Amino acid sequence: QLQAFGGGLVQAGGSLRLSCAASGRTSSIYGMGWFRQAPGKEREFVAAYSWSGGGTYYAESVKGRFAISRDNAKNTAYLQMDSLKPEDTAVYYCAAVNRPPSRSSYYYQLFAYDSWGQGTLVTVSQ
């Protein structure tokens, strides 16, 4: 089970940190990721963290501004979002990969994720 929180309203240029706490069968998690969905748009990949290999992956649109990290002891993944832009406004979802990834590019794909948390709304104002 995944629980995401930390969204809110922030001005452009500001920062937010999202958290995603995993509970239950956390030993079956190979990685965690963040996706977002803006109104009228498809859900898109934002960032991912490979729990097995420690690699991190980012969408081009957030590289250099967002950072994903993990707290092993708390089974929690974080998404630090800096220099936020109005186009970052969306509902953000965390998700977990529960099957061994065949390759690193797996983490960019929606279908790779088996468990989803509820969304948390991020609104960036001008």
Side-chain angles (χ1 to χ4, degrees):
Q1 186 175 7
L2 303 175
Q3 185 174 9
F5 48 94
L9 174 64
V10 64
Q11 287 188 329
S15 298
L16 278 176
R17 188 176 80 156
L18 305 182
S19 301
C20 179
S23 60
R25 295 180 59 189
T26 57
S27 60
S28 65
I29 295 176
Y30 290 87
M32 291 183 72
W34 289 94
F35 286 74
R36 66 187 181 187
Q37 188 165 17
K41 295 188 177 181
E42 294 186 351
R43 192 169 299 190
E44 65 175 5
F45 170 79
V46 175
Y49 190 111
S50 168
W51 285 20
S52 56
T56 55
Y57 311 90
Y58 296 95
E60 285 296 327
S61 60
V62 306
K63 273 184 181 177
R65 300 188 299 121
F66 290 11
I68 190 169
S69 62
R70 172 194 177 191
D71 184 324
N72 291 357
K74 297 181 179 179
N75 288 313
T76 298
Y78 302 97
L79 184 68
Q80 177 66 40
M81 305 186 294
D82 298 322
S83 302
L84 282 161
K85 304 175 181 180
E87 51 263 45
D88 294 318
T89 295
V91 176
Y92 284 70
Y93 298 89
C94 65
V97 175
N98 298 121
R99 291 166 287 167
S102 56
R103 59 183 71 85
S104 59
S105 60
Y106 199 65
Y107 288 103
Y108 294 90
Q109 306 301 323
L110 200 71
F111 65 78
Y113 295 81
D114 305 286
S115 308
W116 291 83
Q118 86 288 2
T120 184
L121 177 62
V122 172
T123 303
V124 184
S125 63
Q126 294 280 3

